[in-house]
Amino acid sequence: MKKTQQEEVFSMSTFRKATEVDIPAITAIYDHTHDLEERGETTIGWIRGVYPTEETAREALDADDLFVMEEDGAVVAAARINQAQVDCYARANWSFDAALEQVMVLHTLVVEPAQKGHGFGPQFVQFYEDYARENRCPYLRMDTNARNKAARKLYAGLGYWEAGIMPCVFNGIPGVQLVCLEKKL
């Protein structure tokens, strides 16, 4: 059955906890992103075989904090959402002196590159903010590589403040300039 024009415009995005069945789709998104980086078509700062990998997704799945966004039944984005702050966050110049239990963190947000321009990144961040609100965590933190200008622009546009750039080895990648971001709901 063919979709009407209105149905195509108003397709339904859903967010849910990931399952084992989602791992191949998430890994494919990582691979497509690595392909673009290797061809010089994007600059994120990830390295194939180092981060993110299938193991990155599996660790998040095993911890029960991996989420996916589906559009018309296909996984188009994924991220890990939990309260775990990476070590170098301790050196950031956070505006808010938040108790650990009041902070929610977004990790490894990835959107299928072929879906660029559909607003899935901002929608996923909105889901993250709603999830934090539901879990009584008014302080939001996340990070990105300083080289990832597109993510930095996106997060700034969504009201996130850069709390500092921390040099570190990040998920096995040496020489990362990690941008720590925050927002209060």
Side-chain angles (χ1 to χ4, degrees), residues 3-13 71-72:
K3 289 184 178 184
T4 67
Q5 191 173 13
Q6 185 175 9
E7 286 174 322
E8 288 199 31
V9 171
F10 297 109
S11 58
M12 182 58 96
S13 297
E71 180 76 9
D72 297 326

Side-chain angles (χ1 to χ4, degrees), residues 42-59:
T42 193
T43 303
I44 294 172
W46 290 352
I47 299 174
R48 186 185 307 272
V50 178
Y51 177 81
T53 63
E54 179 178 336
E55 186 58 31
T56 305
R58 288 196 177 283
E59 286 173 8

Side-chain angles (χ1 to χ4, degrees), residues 16-23 26 61 64-68 78:
R16 62 175 174 77
K17 289 257 182 127
T19 65
E20 177 67 32
V21 174
D22 299 314
I23 296 295
I26 294 166
L61 180 68
D64 196 35
D65 55 18
L66 182 62
F67 294 83
V68 294

